[in-house]
Amino acid sequence: MAKIIECVPNFSEGRDKAVVEAVAAAVRETPGATLLDVDAGESTNRTVYTFVGSPSAVVEAALAAARVAYARIDMTKHKGAHPRMGALDVCPFIPVSGVTVEECVGVSKIFALRLAKELSVPVYLYGAASSRDYRRTMPQIRAGEYEGLRDKLRQEEWSPDFGPSEFVPRWGATVTGVRKFLVAYNINLLSTKEQAHRIALNLREQGRGPNQPGRLRCCQAIGWYLEEHNLAQISINLTDFDVTPIHIAYEEAKKDAGDMKVAVTGSEVVGLVPLAALLQAAEYYIAKEGLFILEEEQKVHLAINRLGLNALSPFNPKTRIIEYCVGGVGAGQLGRGSVEELVKGVAARTPAPGGGSVAATVAALGAALGAMVGQMTYGKRQWEGLDATMRRLIPPLHKAATDLIPAIDADTAAFNAYMEANKLPQNTEEERKKRTAAVKEATEQTIQVPLSLLTTQDTTWEPLTQMAVVGNINCRSDIQVGARCLEAGAWGAYYNVLVNLDNVEDAETRKAYRSQAEVLMERAKKGCQAVLQAVDKRASSS
C-alpha cells in the first residue's frame, strides 16, 4: 500500500486572490503532491489548503508554499477574525494510508527543521509531535497571538523547537505537528432541530457538561436544520475514526432516534474520507449480517448503502475516497499491465523489474490459486457442509493475493530509488550528508519490501493446508501449484533480502534482518511440505 499523508496548512491570507492562487500553484507544481481543496475565508483572512502525497512530496509541497508566503504575506498588516500567529500559521501532517502517526511525526520534524533553516523563522511542534504538555495544543501555543509573540519569544519556556528565538515581524511563527484525520460526518433525521441536538448531546464526548459526558469519544456534535432539504442533521466531527468509527456514530444515533420515534434517512460525509473508514463500516455490517464479501469494491458499495451516503447527493468513491483520488490503492504500472508486458519487461536489458517483482508475482498467483480452490468449493451443493469453513479459509488467501500485487511494483520502485540515491552529488558536506541519508533510506526499502512479501506469504500456509485437507479434491493440482508458487515467491524474497543486506553498514542490523528472513523462509519450506503432504494423503486414499 502506498504511503499517503494529508497536509492541511493554514496561511494568513484569504482576501488577496493572487496570493491565494500563488500558494496553490506552488503545491500543484510539486511532483507527487495532489492539491485537493483551497478554502479561502475573507472575514478570517485565512486560507486552508488540503493536499496529499508521499511523505517526501508533502514536505516539498509545504515548503514550496511557505516560500511563496514568505515573499508575499506581511503579518504586520494582517487582520482577521481567526486567531493566528504567523504567515504560515499551522501546518499539520495527517496519516491517511500506509503510514503511522510516528512516521508523520518524523515528517513534521523534517519540515520544521528545513523551514526554520531556510527562512530563519521560529517553528513550534504541536499534537503528537510535541514533547511538552504545556504546548501540545494550538490554543496553548497560539495564546497571545501574533501581537504577543515578540514578548513570548523572550521567555525560555517558549523558545521554539526549531529556528531562532527572534521575532520576525513579516512572518511571526509557525506551528507544525501531527493530528489524526478528522471525518466531517452528518446524519439525516426527519425531526426538529431540537431533537437532532438532543441526540448530538447524547453522543458527543463533552455531552452536556463535566457531569454528563456523552457516549462517544473523539466525537464533536451539534444538531441543526437544513432548510434546502427540509430535514435536520446531527453534524459530527470524528477526530479519530479509529476510536469512534463512522458506523458506530451512525448506529448510536439510530438507537436514540428509535427511542424518540424519529426517522433516520441516511447520512453524508463532508469532503473526503480515507478508504479505511469505509472498510471499517463494511466489516462491521459483514459481521453483523453474516455476509461473505471479499472484493474491496463490493465492501465500499456495502458501506455506502448501509450508511445511506447517497441520500442527499451521489457518493462517488472515485472522487470522495482519498486513496482513489490520488491512485494510492492497488496495483502500479507493472501490476496493472498484461502478463505479456511483465514477462517482456523482465526479459529486457534492464535490471528492473527483476527477481523481486517476479517473486511477488509468483507468490500472488500462489495465494490466488488457494482462494480459487475455496471459491470452487464454496456454495456448491456437493460441499455445502463446508460453507462455514470456506468462509473462514478463503478471506486470508484472497487478502494475501490482493496485498501481494502492489509488491510487484514496490520492489522495482525500491531498486530504482536506491540507484537514484547513489547518483546524488557529493561535492559539498551538505550534499554528502543528503546523499548518505537518501542511500540509507533507499537501502531500508530494498530490504523492507521483500521482508513484507515474506511476512504476507507466511499468513497463507495455515489456510492453504486446511484447504488441501477439505477443499474441492478435483482442484488438487491447483493447490499443489499454489503451494509451490508461494514457496518460490518466498525464496525469491529471501534471496533479495540477503543480496541487499550487503548495503547495510551496521552489523547488528544485518544480523537482525537475516535472522528474520531465515525464520520466515524456514516456515515457508515447512508450510509448503505440509500442503503437499495433505494433498498426497487425500489422493492416495481416494
Side-chain angles (χ1 to χ4, degrees), residues 500-511:
N500 288 311
L501 284 179
D502 293 341
N503 301 318
V504 177
E505 295 182 2
D506 183 70
E508 287 301 313
T509 301
R510 288 199 305 271
K511 182 179 179 181

Side-chain angles (χ1 to χ4, degrees), residues 425-442:
Q426 306 180 69
N427 300 318
T428 66
E429 182 63 25
E430 183 64 27
E431 286 180 345
R432 285 191 288 273
K433 287 182 180 179
K434 185 176 180 180
R435 179 184 179 278
T436 299
V439 169
K440 184 178 180 181
E441 181 181 351

Side-chain angles (χ1 to χ4, degrees), residues 464-488:
L464 190 61
T465 301
Q466 293 182 51
M467 191 72 72
V469 172
V470 300
N472 187 335
I473 189 61
N474 300 317
C475 300
R476 59 182 178 273
S477 64
D478 299 297
I479 293 179
Q480 291 167 320
V481 173
R484 288 298 190 187
C485 282
L486 281 163
E487 184 189 36

Side-chain angles (χ1 to χ4, degrees), residues 35-370:
L35 183 64
L36 300 177
D37 188 54
V38 179
D39 185 5
E42 186 165 334
S43 62
T44 59
N45 199 10
R46 183 182 187 87
T47 301
V48 180
Y49 299 82
T50 303
F51 56 89
V52 294
S54 67
S56 59
V58 292
V59 170
E60 295 302 331
L63 285 169
R67 293 184 194 108
V68 173
Y70 187 78
R72 304 189 65 166
I73 296 176
D74 186 352
M75 287 301 294
T76 66
K77 302 175 182 178
H78 183 271
K79 298 291 181 183
H82 198 288
R84 79 285 182 269
M85 64 188 292
L88 170 49
D89 192 54
V90 60
C91 186
F93 294 90
I94 303 151
V96 174
S97 71
V99 64
T100 64
V101 168
E102 290 71 25
E103 288 177 280
C104 282
V105 167
V107 167
S108 69
K109 290 181 178 179
I110 290 170
F111 169 73
L113 175 64
R114 292 182 60 187
L115 179 71
K117 185 174 183 179
E118 183 173 334
L119 303 183
S120 296
V121 296
V123 184
Y124 293 93
L125 298 176
Y126 88 115
S130 174
S131 60
R132 312 185 203 186
D133 287 339
Y134 69 91
R135 46 199 258 185
R136 185 170 296 274
T137 69
M138 279 305 301
Q140 288 172 324
I141 300 173
R142 204 190 267 142
E145 296 190 46
Y146 171 81
E147 287 74 15
L149 186 59
R150 185 190 298 272
D151 291 335
K152 199 170 191 174
L153 284 165
R154 293 173 180 154
Q155 303 170 40
E156 185 177 347
E157 64 269 27
W158 285 105
S159 61
D161 293 284
F162 296 91
S165 296
E166 298 174 6
F167 182 57
V168 183
R170 287 181 57 87
W171 183 265
T174 294
V175 184
T176 186
V178 178
R179 64 170 173 82
K180 296 296 288 288
F181 191 96
L182 185 150
V183 177
Y185 179 60
N186 300 332
I187 299 172
N188 309 324
L189 302 174
L190 300 182
S191 72
T192 66
K193 170 187 173 182
E194 290 73 22
Q195 288 171 316
H197 192 62
R198 280 167 58 191
I199 298 176
L201 293 176
N202 294 340
L203 300 184
R204 69 185 190 184
E205 184 168 12
Q206 73 182 89
R208 290 173 169 79
N211 298 322
Q212 290 182 285
R215 298 201 301 273
L216 303 182
R217 294 170 53 213
C218 301
C219 175
Q220 304 162 349
I222 61 172
W224 61 29
Y225 202 84
L226 294 182
E227 296 291 346
E228 65 270 29
H229 292 292
N230 193 25
L231 54 76
Q233 283 187 325
I234 306 167
S235 176
I236 297 172
N237 281 340
L238 297 173
T239 58
D240 188 338
F241 67 85
D242 287 321
V243 175
T244 296
I246 292 175
H247 62 273
I248 294 299
Y250 187 64
E251 292 298 321
E252 289 298 311
K254 284 173 64 177
K255 288 179 185 177
D256 285 16
D259 292 341
M260 296 169 61
K261 308 301 182 188
V262 164
V264 175
T265 60
S267 61
E268 64 172 346
V269 170
V270 180
L272 300 176
V273 63
L275 174 63
L278 291 188
L279 293 182
Q280 283 176 341
E283 296 299 343
Y284 169 81
Y285 290 110
I286 288 170
K288 180 182 179 181
E289 301 171 27
L291 306 176
F292 183 58
I293 300 174
L294 295 171
E295 300 296 334
E296 180 178 285
E297 183 179 356
Q298 293 184 340
K299 290 181 179 181
V300 169
H301 177 78
L302 177 71
I304 293 170
N305 178 272
R306 294 298 188 267
L307 296 170
L309 295 179
N310 282 321
L312 296 185
S313 61
F315 183 96
N316 183 349
K318 293 181 180 179
T319 59
R320 302 297 300 281
I321 296 175
I322 292 176
E323 291 89 337
Y324 293 172
C325 290
V326 298
V329 173
Q333 184 176 355
L334 293 174
R336 286 195 302 267
S338 68
V339 174
E340 180 183 11
E341 289 170 334
L342 179 60
V343 171
K344 288 183 176 180
V346 172
R349 194 169 181 157
T350 55
S357 293
V358 171
T361 304
V362 172
L365 289 170
L369 280 168

